[in-house]
């Protein structure tokens, strides 16, 4: 996900939610509707979510330091996790509490035109925000379904905004239904039921986002297509003959670490191997531009039996027999490829 695309969707959602939150609180004050109060808190929570995502994006741009040599790209994952756990859950729990109180102590909705008018306005505003998030996501998801996109996206911003806006639209419909039934039946319990449904929806969205951002925090590998591109780029058929094993790790949404043990010819000199490693490094960056930290270790490949089938990458543990110490290429910010 491009940072600019994510930022555009976040800003659009932030502007819509701030305007909607003010309107909802005004309507709640005049009508006494629990659904409107819960929706107002929901919009405040959403606004806080977007502010946290923008803050995480800003912090992720800090330069790498001696203490954090791989940079701060994972700040975006951390703030995405905070969004899912803290603000969504707080909004959801508050709505559940308000709904319970309204069911236990129901009262009629007053000045019904306030909540109905605000809800219709909010649905229109949220639809524009949701449309922006869908448009930005479509540029990246390709042929993936929406569920697959949310699960596989390496950048947390667009999935968060997508689920926020989707949850907001569903919540508005639930609030409108609760208020409408309360008006039609004269029974304020329906307003509380709508509020409880909003709370349950927010908690479910919080759990989905927590699971996805937890996986990103633990560290995810490159996509299968990117791994294949890297494998193809490493091998030159002359000095580098194959990839013995390889590991990839996202240091951030747009920064990838590549570590691999590669097979070289047994009679190559140290100079020839070093040049081949530099060339392979350059090919990797051309094939997968987000591969910014690359470590390649030369070795002699010997087939010692069936290849293991235990993990993501095939592995064969062999001791180097090149006559030189195994070397690893430095990240691009330390040594230019091909130097």
């Amino acid at each position: 996900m491009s940072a600019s695309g994510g930022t555009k969707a976040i800003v659009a959602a932030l502007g819509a939610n701030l305007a909607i939150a003010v309107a909802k609180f005004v309507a709640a004050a005049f009508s006494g509707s629990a659904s409107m109060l819960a929706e107002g808190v929901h919009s405040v929570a959403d606004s806080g979510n977007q502010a946290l995502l923008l803050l995480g994006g800003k912090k992720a741009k800090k330069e790498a330091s001696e203490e954090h040599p791989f940079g701060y790209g994972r700040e975006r994952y951390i703030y995405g996790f905070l969004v899912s756990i803290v603000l969504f859950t707080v909004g959801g729990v508050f709505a559940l509490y308000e709904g319970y109180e309204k069911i236990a102590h129901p009262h009629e909705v007053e000045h019904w035109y306030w909540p109905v008018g605000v809800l219709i306005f909010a649905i229109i505003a949220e639809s524009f925000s949701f449309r922006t998030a869908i448009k930005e996501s479509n540029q990246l998801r390709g042929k993936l379904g929406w569920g697959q996109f949310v699960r596989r996206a390496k950048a947390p911003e667009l999935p968060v905004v997508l689920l926020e806006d989707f949850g907001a639209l569903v919540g508005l419909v639930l609030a409108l239904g609760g208020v409408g039934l309360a008006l039609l039946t004269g029974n304020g319990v329906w307003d509380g039921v709508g509020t409880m449904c909003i709370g349950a929806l927010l908690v479910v969205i919080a759990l989905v986002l927590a699971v996805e951002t937890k996986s990103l925090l633990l560290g995810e590998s490159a996509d299968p297509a990117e791994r294949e591109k890297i494998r193809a780029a490493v091998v030159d058929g002359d000095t580098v003959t194959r990839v013995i094993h390889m590991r990839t790790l996202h240091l951030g949404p747009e920064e990838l670490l590549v570590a691999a043990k590669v097979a070289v010819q047994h009679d190559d000199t140290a100079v020839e191997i070093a040049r081949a490693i530099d060339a392979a490094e350059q090919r990797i960056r051309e094939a997968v531009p987000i591969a910014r930290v690359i470590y390649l270790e030369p070795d002699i490949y010997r087939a010692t039996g069936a290849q293991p089938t235990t993990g993501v990458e095939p592995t064969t543990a062999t001791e180097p027999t090149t006559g030189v110490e195994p070397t690893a290429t430095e990240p691009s910010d330390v040594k230019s490829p091909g130097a």
Side-chain angles (χ1 to χ4, degrees):
M1 185 197 80
S2 66
S4 59
T7 301
K8 184 178 179 180
I10 294 170
V11 171
L14 178 60
N17 281 315
L18 287 174
I20 292 169
V22 173
K24 287 176 179 176
F25 282 127
V26 171
F30 278 96
S31 66
S33 169
S35 291
M36 289 307 304
L37 182 59
E39 274 297 304
V41 173
H42 180 184
S43 293
V44 170
D46 284 351
S47 300
N49 292 346
Q50 284 117 35
L52 278 178
L53 292 176
L54 290 172
L55 179 62
K58 182 178 180 180
K59 286 182 172 293
K61 294 178 181 178
K62 291 191 298 184
E63 294 292 331
S65 63
E66 185 175 351
E67 185 177 4
H68 296 92
F70 293 119
Y72 294 82
R74 289 195 179 185
E75 290 271 13
R76 290 165 68 179
Y77 299 153
I78 293 170
Y79 280 86
F81 192 72
L82 289 175
V83 163
S84 63
I85 292 297
V86 181
L87 294 176
F88 259 133
T89 305
V90 167
V93 171
F94 177 82
L96 290 172
Y97 171 77
E98 280 296 313
Y100 171 79
E101 285 294 314
K102 187 68 174 182
I103 293 173
H105 307 96
H107 62 80
E108 292 185 8
V109 176
E110 302 172 354
H111 306 293
W112 62 269
Y113 44 84
W114 276 100
V116 172
V118 167
L119 287 171
I120 293 174
F121 161 74
I123 288 173
I124 295 172
E126 285 288 0
S127 296
F128 280 106
S129 175
F130 193 37
R131 179 176 176 272
T132 300
I134 290 174
K135 183 179 178 181
E136 296 299 325
S137 299
N138 279 335
Q139 298 177 11
L140 299 169
R141 72 184 183 96
K143 297 181 180 179
L144 294 176
W146 287 108
Q148 290 178 311
F149 174 71
V150 170
R151 289 195 301 269
R152 296 185 184 182
K154 304 303 182 184
E157 291 86 356
L158 279 178
V160 168
V161 174
L162 276 170
L163 289 177
E164 271 186 357
D165 288 346
F166 174 75
L169 284 171
V170 175
L172 289 167
V173 173
L174 292 172
L176 188 60
V179 171
L181 287 172
L183 291 172
L184 290 173
T185 63
N187 188 349
V189 168
W190 287 108
D191 188 27
V193 171
T195 307
M196 292 281 286
C197 291
I198 293 169
L201 173 68
L202 290 178
V203 170
V204 170
I205 291 175
L207 292 174
V208 171
L209 287 176
V211 170
E212 295 307 317
T213 50
K214 172 178 173 287
S215 178
L216 292 170
L217 279 171
L218 288 175
E220 290 189 355
S221 66
D223 291 331
E226 291 177 328
R227 295 202 299 267
E228 288 305 313
K229 288 180 181 179
I230 293 170
R231 286 179 173 280
V234 169
V235 177
D236 61 8
D238 183 15
T239 301
V240 181
T241 59
R242 68 183 298 157
V243 176
I244 299 174
H245 68 74
M246 181 178 74
R247 298 290 183 270
T248 60
L249 178 69
H250 269 273
L251 302 174
E254 287 127 22
E255 187 171 11
L256 187 66
L257 180 148
V258 178
K261 179 176 285 190
V262 299
V264 296
Q265 302 288 357
H266 73 279
D267 55 351
D268 286 332
T269 66
V271 172
E272 290 172 333
I273 292 173
R275 288 175 178 171
I277 292 295
D278 286 340
E281 200 178 69
Q282 179 65 30
R283 292 193 300 271
I284 291 172
R285 292 194 175 95
E286 290 174 354
V288 182
I290 65 171
R292 300 179 185 175
V293 182
I294 303 172
Y295 296 98
L296 301 180
E297 178 184 350
D299 199 353
I300 300 299
Y301 176 78
R302 294 192 305 273
T304 56
Q307 296 295 313
T309 58
T310 58
V312 181
E313 310 288 351
T315 60
T316 301
T318 58
E319 292 299 323
T321 57
T322 58
V324 295
E325 290 296 321
T327 59
T329 62
E330 294 296 326
S332 59
D333 56 346
V334 178
K335 180 168 75 75
S336 301

